[in-house]
Amino acid sequence: MATQHSRSAARIMMAPAVFVLLVWMLVPLTMTLYFSFKKYLPLRGGDLGWVGFDNYVRFVTSSAFWPAVQTTLVIVGGVLLITVVLGILLALLLDQPMWGQGVVRILVIAPFFVMPTVSALVWKNMFMDPVNGLFAHLWRFFGAEPVSWLSDASLASIIMIVSWQWLPFATLILLTAIQSLDSEQLEAAEMDGAPPLKRFYHIILPHMSRAITIVILIQTIFLLAIFAEIFVTTGGAFGTRTLTYLIYQRVLESQNVGLGSAGGVYAIILANIVALFLMRIVGKNLDA
Amino acid sequence: MGRIQLKQVTKKFGDVEVIPPLDLTIEDGEFAVFVGPSGCGKSTLLRLIAGLEDITTGQIEIDGTDATNVPPAKRGLAMVFQSYALYPHMSVRKNIAFPLRMAKMEQAEIDKRVEAAASVLNLTDYLDRRPGQLSGGQRQRVAIGRAIVREPAAFLFDEPLSNLDAALRVGMRMEISELHEKLATTMIYVTHDQVEAMTMADKIVVLQAGVIEQVGSPLELYRAPRNLFVAGFIGSPKMNFIEGPEAAKHDAHTIGVRPEHIAVSDSEGLWSGVVGVSEHLGSDTFFHVHDTGLAETITVRADGEVGFRHGDRIHLTPRADVIHRFDAQGLRIA
Ligand SMILES: Nc1ncnc2c1ncn2[C@@H]1O[C@H](COP(=O)(O)OP(=O)(O)OP(=O)(O)O)[C@@H](O)[C@H]1O
Ligand SMILES: [Mg+2]
């Protein structure tokens, strides 16, 4: 893109794509903003006029809001912790030369290709069902009382399901990071007298720090929006109502579009704050 | 103390024997250089000594005690890698201090040693920088600094200068030689550059395909190469090898004459030929002479002022006392 001419030609050629993307994004966004300032109850009178910031205040002050925020944070935090820790361990393991490496790597990545709805249903019915689930059989085999996972340990169950889905992503990114480490650095550390654990702590972990940050940020954006897993398992009951789920309930179950839209705007702001950090870190990565 | 002894050491990668049985002794305080063409097993041999690779059979002794199964950290050796292998996220100070921290040394002692190493290597101004902010030569010095603070029994260098430009390489060569004078510690230095080998070594080990072709001081190797390979490898430009009737006159299958041992003249000489390519270095000029009646092109080294040009007729006379004779197996005839 050296000359003035080629630059303007490039702009013209990019214009249709940019236009489509803008419309694609801007239309829903403006509609959400538009509804968030209205009292709009489709089945109870329809559009009841402008209400200013009423919806925003009501959404935050409702008794369901703070528990939902807390649930969201617990799920996001729990999944991040599990996927990052297990991801590092798995990546270390997969980096070792071993028999059948190719097949094992594909198996590890596999869960990522399963749709969230499907995997949640599989977990719910095949593993966590208190009567017929595999876990129930296992518990009974050891003479224990089967746990009704989704009602008694609902939050933990959902964290488990979502972690299972996101572990491959974390593992894959962390594995590529480990593989990019110069093996001479590890050998130098070995000669410098660092035992394996210290080599991990002083050499491997700092080398992976950027990859870990990227995993955390990308996952956070997606985890803030998890929905299907909750919808098909607990339906938001037993303390598993996240912010996303709360918005869904406001719009579709209570048929209050204005209130739901206000929640949606909060969610957009939250996701953008995370995205901002992500851009800066990824950008820095590209500069270096 | 650092006397290193290899006894019947072999190394196989799978079925490929990279090092056939090999015996070698490196005396305490010696500067030993491994030279050889690419892929001849220099790095492998060094890594066997370091303990980074397991030897297949044989025994390694350091200071008279068996170190064959001793892990690398416990051998008391320090290694400087070709890629430097500095820790990129640590400052120069932390890099140099790393082995001491791993040895759980007291902070005051660590600081003292790091400062001392930095002043020896002219790194004092760079202690708080990251490796990424240093030039190639400075990184090289940090890598050496990290090796010397440990006060190892021996230093192992794997082609430490190959990433540097020519001028810097000459400078670092001197610095490493000076360091060796100062520390008087055993050093093993791997290179494929015979100039580095000749200028730095107390003892040169010439390797080919994992086999030691000859061990000796630089001048021994220069004066009395044991076979054709060593004769061709040591010395620059390469020794001229002449076969056929000319060699038969000396009762040899092949004779070798170094370019610097041939006198040039425009009027008379033993051989007469035509100047092809000439390389002017200023101080010296190398002429490649053909059509001498010998099968081979002859390279001669003359004074920089000698003014033959492409196509000129030139007369050559080898110095009779320094003609090397080799038999049909390529071995030196005494
Ligand atoms: N891990 C390995 N697995 C199999 N073969 C290897 C391995 N490491 C080295 N080799 C082989 O051993 C031989 C010697 O390798 P080495 O690295 O010691 O050569 P070198 O003399 O250091 O060469 P260079 O000057 O190019 O560094 C080569 O033929 C190489 O292909
Ligand atoms: Mg090598």
Side-chain angles (χ1 to χ4, degrees):
Chain A
M1 299 290 176
T3 64
Q4 195 73 43
H5 182 71
S6 63
R7 228 174 296 155
S8 53
R11 284 212 190 105
I12 292 170
M13 285 192 239
M14 268 157 50
V18 172
F19 179 74
V20 169
L21 275 177
L22 273 181
V23 171
W24 205 270
M25 277 170 46
L26 280 181
V27 170
L29 183 65
T30 4
M31 283 177 70
T32 309
L33 277 172
Y34 173 79
F35 284 125
S36 70
F37 292 108
K38 292 204 125 183
K39 190 172 171 87
Y40 185 59
L41 309 165
L43 298 182
R44 288 171 283 155
D47 191 344
L48 299 175
W50 298 96
V51 291
F53 281 93
D54 233 27
N55 285 326
Y56 287 91
V57 177
R58 273 185 61 199
F59 191 84
V60 180
T61 49
S62 95
S63 65
F65 177 73
W66 287 110
V69 168
Q70 195 192 345
T71 309
T72 311
L73 289 181
V74 169
I75 291 184
V76 171
V79 173
L80 284 179
L81 189 74
I82 292 175
T83 51
V84 169
V85 171
L86 286 185
I88 290 174
L89 293 179
L90 263 179
L92 285 174
L93 195 69
L94 290 179
D95 189 43
Q96 308 299 317
M98 59 177 173
W99 189 81
Q101 205 168 34
V103 177
V104 172
R105 282 187 190 170
I106 289 174
L107 284 180
V108 167
I109 297 161
F112 206 49
F113 299 126
V114 180
M115 281 175 282
T117 330
V118 175
S119 75
L121 279 173
V122 168
W123 275 91
K124 179 188 180 184
N125 295 320
M126 289 180 66
F127 290 100
M128 293 175 166
D129 190 283
V131 182
N132 289 317
L134 274 179
F135 288 158
H137 283 297
L138 197 69
W139 257 244
R140 273 197 289 270
F141 179 80
F142 288 107
E145 187 67 21
V147 181
S148 9
W149 290 94
L150 288 167
S151 43
D152 294 346
S154 47
L155 212 50
S157 306
I158 285 181
I159 290 176
M160 195 148 93
I161 296 172
V162 178
S163 298
W164 180 81
Q165 279 170 357
W166 281 94
L167 186 57
F169 172 78
T171 308
L172 212 60
I173 300 240
L174 297 174
L175 178 62
T176 53
I178 289 186
Q179 285 177 334
S180 73
L181 177 61
D182 175 14
S183 65
E184 285 197 345
Q185 267 182 43
L186 285 176
E187 287 176 346
E190 190 178 350
M191 294 211 60
D192 282 345
L197 268 181
K198 291 211 166 143
R199 287 207 287 278
F200 172 74
Y201 181 75
H202 289 289
I203 312 292
I204 299 178
L205 211 52
H207 176 79
M208 289 204 296
S209 60
R210 221 170 235 175
I212 293 174
T213 328
I214 287 176
V215 165
I216 289 178
L217 286 170
I218 291 183
Q219 286 200 9
T220 306
I221 288 182
F222 283 92
L223 292 177
L224 283 173
I226 50 165
F227 178 79
E229 294 85 345
I230 300 171
F231 184 76
V232 299
T233 52
T234 62
F238 312 115
T240 59
R241 184 160 56 189
T242 60
L243 214 50
T244 322
Y245 209 85
L246 185 65
I247 295 167
Y248 159 78
Q249 286 189 333
R250 289 287 183 260
V251 175
L252 278 150
E253 289 179 8
S254 341
Q255 289 289 328
N256 190 339
V257 175
L259 195 57
S261 297
V265 173
Y266 280 124
I268 291 170
I269 293 170
L270 190 63
N272 271 288
I273 292 173
V274 180
L276 206 69
F277 280 107
L278 179 65
M279 300 290 208
R280 290 182 57 168
I281 287 181
V282 172
K284 219 186 276 170
N285 215 10
L286 294 179
D287 287 344
Chain B
M1 290 302 285
R3 183 170 191 269
I4 296 169
Q5 211 170 3
L6 309 186
K7 292 179 177 167
Q8 290 294 303
V9 166
T10 67
K11 175 67 185 174
K12 282 186 184 170
F13 287 113
D15 293 335
V16 188
E17 187 167 67
V18 176
I19 310 272
L22 176 147
D23 288 289
L24 179 66
T25 306
I26 292 153
E27 298 297 340
D28 183 34
E30 206 165 41
F31 198 123
V33 174
F34 295 171
V35 278
S38 190
C40 69
K42 307 180 293 288
S43 298
T44 307
L45 195 55
L46 199 68
R47 293 166 60 82
L48 289 175
I49 296 173
L52 294 171
E53 301 275 359
D54 292 324
I55 62 175
T56 308
T57 60
Q59 205 181 358
I60 294 183
E61 283 183 8
I62 298 175
D63 281 334
T65 51
D66 185 9
T68 314
N69 295 312
V70 177
K74 299 266 156 56
R75 294 193 185 191
L77 308 175
M79 184 147 165
V80 176
F81 292 84
Q82 183 173 355
S83 67
Y84 314 142
L86 300 178
Y87 311 128
H89 53 276
M90 297 183 199
S91 64
V92 168
R93 184 189 302 278
K94 289 230 171 94
N95 261 284
I96 298 179
F98 188 75
L100 305 180
R101 270 173 72 201
M102 289 302 114
K104 302 209 167 60
M105 195 175 276
E106 274 177 40
Q107 192 58 44
E109 177 68 15
I110 293 181
D111 290 341
K112 210 175 83 192
R113 287 214 200 176
V114 171
E115 298 290 341
S119 77
V120 168
L121 295 164
N122 289 325
L123 285 170
T124 313
D125 296 340
Y126 308 105
L127 278 177
D128 294 311
R129 291 209 200 164
R130 295 275 178 96
Q133 301 163 318
L134 298 177
S135 74
Q138 290 162 345
R139 283 181 213 185
Q140 184 58 64
R141 286 205 288 265
V142 176
I144 295 175
R146 194 173 61 185
I148 63 177
V149 285
R150 293 174 52 196
E151 300 179 351
F155 291 96
L156 311 176
F157 294 93
D158 192 354
E159 306 205 21
L161 307 186
S162 58
N163 291 339
L164 303 181
D165 69 48
L168 201 51
R169 207 179 296 178
V170 175
M172 285 303 297
R173 210 158 75 195
M174 308 256 287
E175 284 186 31
I176 294 177
S177 292
E178 261 171 38
L179 197 67
H180 179 244
E181 295 295 325
K182 204 180 299 178
L183 301 176
T185 310
T186 313
M187 292 191 178
I188 303 179
Y189 188 104
V190 164
T191 179
H192 57 255
D193 180 350
Q194 58 98 16
V195 178
E196 274 176 29
M198 293 295 285
T199 51
M200 302 171 83
D202 294 326
K203 172 153 104 194
I204 297 182
V205 179
V206 183
L207 290 164
Q208 183 186 209
V211 178
I212 295 182
E213 296 287 348
Q214 190 169 2
V215 179
S217 73
L219 283 184
E220 272 167 31
L221 265 57
Y222 178 80
R223 288 189 185 132
R226 215 170 58 103
N227 56 31
L228 283 176
F229 178 80
V230 178
F233 199 80
I234 300 291
S236 169
K238 204 168 163 285
M239 185 187 280
N240 296 294
F241 293 121
I242 300 160
E243 292 180 0
E246 194 63 34
K249 283 189 209 160
H250 293 86
D251 291 327
H253 181 265
T254 311
I255 57 168
V257 186
R258 294 200 184 274
E260 54 271 36
H261 294 153
I262 299 177
V264 300
S265 155
D266 53 6
S267 52
E268 54 190 340
L270 182 61
W271 304 318
S272 145
V274 177
V275 174
V277 176
S278 40
E279 299 172 87
H280 298 276
L281 302 185
S283 59
D284 306 303
T285 304
F286 302 138
F287 295 111
H288 299 273
V289 182
H290 51 84
D291 292 334
T292 50
L294 308 167
E296 301 83 1
T297 300
I298 302 291
T299 307
V300 293
R301 174 179 153 196
D303 192 84
E305 305 303 321
V306 176
F308 289 99
R309 315 183 66 168
H310 182 88
D312 285 354
R313 184 144 285 276
I314 189 171
H315 299 270
L316 311 173
T317 313
R319 265 175 60 187
D321 56 330
V322 282
I323 291 179
H324 304 270
R325 300 182 308 141
F326 301 95
D327 65 17
Q329 279 75 49
L331 291 179
R332 179 181 190 82
I333 305 171

